[in-house]
Amino acid sequence: MTDLFAPVRLGELALANRIVMAPMTRNRAGPHDEPTEHMVEYYRQRATAGLIVTEGTHPSKTGKGYFRTPGVHEPGQIAGWRRVANAVHQRGGKIVLQLMHCGRACVRANKDAEAETIAPSPIRCREKIPGPDGVRVEVEMPRALETYEIARVIDEYARAAANARTAGLDGVELHCTSGYLPMQFLSTGTNHRTDRYGGSVQNRIRFVVEVLEALAAAIGAGRVGFRIFPGNPFNDMQDDDAASTYAALLQAIKGFGLAYVHLIHAPTETLDALALVKTHWSGPVIANNNLSLDTARALLAEGRVDAVSFARLFISNPDLVERFRRGVPLAVPDRSTFYTGESAGYTDYPTASLEAEVRRHAAAT
Ligand SMILES: Cc1cc2nc3c(=O)[nH]c(=O)nc-3n(C[C@H](O)[C@H](O)[C@H](O)COP(=O)(O)O)c2cc1C
């Protein structure tokens, strides 16, 4: 039986175990969208994960959507990511950068004044999104990209991936869900284009296929993963036939030799995305969403996935792998500090061994 603690290879990424830290936006980047020393410490603490997928990171100024999220397009940002990568590698971990271009799902005040809001079509996101002070506000109408501009956006992604490698990160994960730019192209609700990037399924998947091709050309396919959640309604998304869209996408990129697909698995009555992935994809699969040690083990044991990822449990359990291994009770994360604070609720969750030492000390004094 495949064990959670057994090593696994995802493309060029050799993981010490199959427990992945899922990407989490934590809104603690510095004033120039650079990773801070708090971020270095946060990722260092969690480096015993087989693989860390970083928080969503914008490939360009335009791609930023939220406040205090990091970028990977300026030298200071690359230098910050280098400190993160070094810290994780020093503890034997692996780390890939999640590339997140928000497209229309952004608040203008969160980014540079000259960074406009773009999307496949001029359709406004009806979800409110947190502004600079964390309060949710209306989102503006995006400008539709001209056909000739799309190559430039794809190139920004490719340069961002090259920057991630310059920083010493092990690869990148393309964020293709949660209502951000790639998903805006994929979905019928947000893509009303009439050029070769809109209309038919083959046209709607073209942007994502070309981005993945460009990422693979920039850093090697075996260092590129991508994240999907077919049918995800988050950020006002809608697709008339998500199953067909994702089947076509997976078929189109199946031969690229990509490192993995990272699936947020939330089966609905009409769509079992894991079954869809198993039918149309032959590469490695990381599964996520509300997993426990037992459900993760069951997925692995059934041979349905190669690795599993945990998000919220990694917030409050920096030593999650060790706790799973030793059967130590898990700490519950504090939601109120998910997106605010510096070290509070971020780097101050203790490891189980530190907690035990503190208890011993308290008992002895
Ligand atoms: C605070 C927070 C921030 C998140 N940010 C991201 C993100 O930047 N990119 C992404 O793909 N998913 C993001 N997610 C989704 C998680 O990666 C994951 O899919 C979700 O939390 C379910 O996994 P879990 O049940 O193990 O927490 C975020 C989740 C949380 C709780």
Side-chain angles (χ1 to χ4, degrees):
M1 188 173 87
T2 313
D3 187 76
L4 266 180
F5 306 104
V8 65
R9 201 176 174 89
L10 310 176
E12 292 293 314
L13 309 168
L15 279 52
N17 61 63
R18 293 160 190 255
I19 301 167
V20 175
M21 175 170 156
M24 276 180 289
T25 293
R26 302 300 308 275
N27 307 82
R28 282 157 166 96
H32 305 290
D33 300 349
E34 75 282 13
T36 62
E37 288 310 311
H38 278 131
M39 289 169 65
V40 174
E41 177 59 11
Y42 167 74
Y43 286 114
R44 191 196 66 76
Q45 290 175 348
R46 288 154 181 78
T48 49
L51 177 69
I52 292 175
V53 184
T54 72
E55 62 211 273
T57 300
H58 40 276
S60 63
K61 285 182 179 181
T62 319
K64 189 178 182 193
Y66 296 89
F67 64 97
R68 294 195 63 184
T69 52
V72 68
H73 50 90
E74 303 291 337
Q77 298 162 358
I78 299 167
W81 283 119
R82 179 168 290 161
R83 287 192 284 279
V84 171
N86 286 343
V88 170
H89 290 156
Q90 270 164 18
R91 294 194 69 206
K94 290 273 161 32
I95 178 164
V96 297
L97 185 87
Q98 189 185 52
L99 290 175
M100 171 166 125
H101 191 308
C102 293
R104 70 171 194 163
C106 78
V107 171
R108 189 69 168 258
N110 286 337
K111 50 186 183 179
D112 276 19
E114 78 266 23
E116 59 174 346
T117 300
I118 50 140
S121 301
I123 302 169
R124 205 171 61 82
C125 174
R126 290 167 299 181
E127 281 294 319
K128 288 184 175 172
I129 288 180
D133 54 4
V135 177
R136 288 181 177 270
V137 293
E138 296 284 342
V139 169
E140 70 178 343
M141 173 68 87
R143 180 178 70 78
L145 284 164
E146 299 291 342
T147 308
Y148 74 88
E149 293 178 296
I150 292 179
R152 192 198 66 222
V153 177
I154 294 172
D155 189 50
E156 286 170 356
Y157 270 112
R159 274 187 284 134
N163 291 343
R165 289 290 289 147
T166 300
L169 295 153
D170 297 293
V172 298
E173 174 178 293
L174 179 66
H175 197 339
C176 290
T177 180
S178 306
Y180 303 122
L181 189 65
M183 194 180 192
Q184 292 161 28
F185 271 93
L186 291 173
S187 310
T188 53
T190 39
N191 185 343
H192 292 183
R193 298 181 72 89
T194 53
D195 64 1
R196 63 181 194 281
Y197 291 95
S200 66
V201 179
Q202 290 307 322
N203 282 355
R204 279 184 285 112
I205 66 170
R206 192 180 308 280
F207 177 76
V208 175
V209 172
E210 290 184 0
V211 172
L212 287 169
E213 249 171 354
L215 296 177
I219 64 167
R223 294 188 178 278
V224 177
F226 64 106
R227 192 164 214 223
I228 57 172
F229 175 177
N232 185 2
F234 187 69
N235 276 330
D236 189 22
M237 295 306 290
Q238 185 264 326
D239 194 334
D240 291 343
D241 187 358
S244 302
T245 303
Y246 288 86
L249 174 66
L250 292 166
Q251 288 290 346
I253 60 180
K254 197 169 159 172
F256 287 9
L258 299 172
Y260 64 82
V261 59
H262 189 175
L263 176 70
I264 302 179
H265 181 44
T268 64
E269 269 175 31
T270 51
L271 183 61
D272 179 348
L274 188 50
L276 184 114
V277 164
K278 288 316 249 183
T279 308
H280 299 284
W281 172 257
S282 47
V285 179
I286 305 174
N288 166 257
N289 204 28
N290 228 359
L291 293 174
S292 63
L293 177 58
D294 289 343
T295 53
R297 275 205 164 121
L299 275 175
L300 270 181
E302 289 161 16
R304 301 182 78 194
V305 305
D306 300 275
V308 285
S309 78
F310 299 86
R312 287 163 294 175
L313 287 180
F314 261 112
I315 291 183
S316 48
N317 300 279
D319 55 343
L320 186 63
V321 175
E322 194 52 26
R323 287 185 192 228
F324 277 163
R325 205 192 298 268
R326 291 176 29 217
V328 176
L330 301 178
V332 178
D334 174 5
R335 293 184 64 89
S336 71
T337 47
F338 276 7
Y339 304 108
T340 58
E342 297 299 332
S343 56
Y346 191 54
T347 50
D348 61 354
Y349 285 104
T351 58
S353 54
L354 178 62
E355 262 176 11
E357 258 179 61
V358 171
R359 268 199 305 274
R360 266 198 303 277
H361 188 77
T365 52

